Amino acid sequence: MAENTKKKLKKPDVKIVLLGDMNVGKTSLLHRYTERKFKDTVSTVGGAFYLKQWGPYNISIWDTAGREQFHGLGSMYCRGAAAVILTYDTTSWQSYVELEDRFLSLTDTANADCIFAIVGNKADLTDSHAQASNPDGEEGNQPARSSFSSSSLQRKQVNREDAMALYGRVLHYKGLEEKTCLPAERMVFETSAKTGYNVDVLFETVFDLVVPSILKKRNEVESTVDLEAPSKVKRTKAGCCA
Ligand SMILES: Nc1nc2c(ncn2[C@@H]2O[C@H](COP(=O)(O)OP(=O)(O)OP(=O)(O)O)[C@@H](O)[C@H]2O)c(=O)[nH]1
Ligand SMILES: [Mg+2]
């Protein structure tokens, strides 16, 4: 029985991590993508992962806890990550600031060629999207569960240009040159887990971008096996002659 369960577990080929302050909507984004709905969440404890089959590949997506008390776990979750999705709440300037202040250094344990996406969630609540996606101004205009006092910082909206600037600073932090990396226009997303706006595009863009990392890892494994091959052949011959 235990053996059967073991066999059914798929081994992830690659890891993607969602990082960002509490309440920005990381869990909601993952629910929206995997379950196609917006549902009530509770603040994540530690972390949880979801396995996504993408073509022939298995991709694990790690949903981490944004709460300060779990901060120490962040770098552990990022270890060996092929992509990190840095998430903020478009209606909370503080959540944007926290990405650089608190979360970016956690990605030091990620792969050297890790891909970064910057995601501004709750786009349905910003001036430009609120009218279109929520014409009656019902629940979406209520402030969501909050981790901060109602400071002016929290109320200040974050726009796409701010996110593009952050992307540039992330590359700089990583010692990468912008012109040799994926462009900000492609890696900055505004999403709404509530309406579903841009959620599939976000995840599926990232899935496509980590495929080369899977292939590279497989090639490395194969060349290691090749190096070992002659000694295996020798052993077989010896066994045959004995
Ligand atoms: N209006 C709106 N509310 C959202 C959106 N995404 C999440 N929320 C709300 O924001 C709150 C926090 O969402 P979560 O998904 O639990 O946030 P989280 O980032 O996982 O938080 P932690 O697990 O504590 O790190 C909940 O009340 C959600 O319903 C969105 O796109 N629009
Ligand atoms: Mg969560």
Side-chain angles (χ1 to χ4, degrees), residues 34-234:
T34 57
E35 297 174 36
R36 322 307 297 164
K37 60 185 176 202
F38 183 62
K39 58 181 202 185
D40 286 344
T41 55
V42 284
S43 188
T44 305
V45 173
F49 89 96
Y50 175 82
L51 203 58
K52 169 77 185 171
Q53 173 105 40
W54 186 246
Y57 311 115
N58 297 314
I59 298 179
S60 63
I61 312 166
W62 283 85
D63 175 24
T64 63
R67 270 198 277 171
E68 186 98 46
Q69 71 193 98
F70 298 112
H71 195 64
L73 299 174
S75 57
M76 184 187 84
Y77 288 125
C78 285
R79 190 171 306 283
V84 171
I85 301 177
L86 292 168
T87 315
Y88 63 89
D89 169 349
T90 46
T91 67
S92 164
W93 184 262
Q94 186 62 36
S95 72
Y96 166 81
V97 171
E98 293 280 322
L99 284 180
E100 229 169 333
D101 285 0
R102 200 152 69 86
F103 292 96
L104 187 53
S105 62
L106 300 179
T107 68
D108 291 353
T109 52
N111 284 352
D113 56 357
C114 179
I115 287 159
F116 289 87
I118 311 283
V119 175
N121 188 42
K122 305 194 188 178
D124 57 289
L125 296 182
T126 57
D127 296 339
S128 51
H129 293 81
Q131 268 326 95
S133 58
N134 196 16
D136 302 329
E138 36 92 48
E139 48 171 336
N141 281 335
Q142 300 296 320
R145 194 183 71 228
S146 173
S147 58
F148 301 102
S149 64
S150 55
S151 65
S152 56
L153 268 187
Q154 193 194 344
R155 284 195 300 269
K156 188 178 168 197
Q157 291 188 359
V158 188
N159 60 40
R160 195 172 150 80
E161 286 67 44
D162 298 316
M164 306 257 274
L166 173 61
Y167 182 72
R169 295 197 299 276
V170 168
L171 296 186
H172 182 75
Y173 174 84
K174 291 279 157 189
L176 300 167
E177 283 204 42
E178 277 190 57
K179 53 178 185 281
T180 61
C181 297
L182 293 158
E185 295 76 35
R186 217 172 141 204
M187 299 316 294
V188 169
F189 301 84
E190 285 185 327
T191 59
S192 169
K194 182 175 175 149
T195 66
Y197 173 69
N198 249 351
V199 176
D200 287 0
V201 175
L202 159 69
F203 283 108
E204 293 178 0
T205 300
V206 176
F207 295 160
D208 279 341
L209 289 171
V210 296
V211 168
S213 170
I214 300 173
L215 299 176
K216 189 175 146 210
K217 205 161 99 184
R218 286 192 179 173
N219 276 342
E220 281 167 7
V221 172
E222 271 164 26
S223 45
T224 314
V225 171
D226 274 348
L227 284 175
E228 284 171 2
S231 63
K232 276 189 192 145
V233 172
K234 257 188 207 160

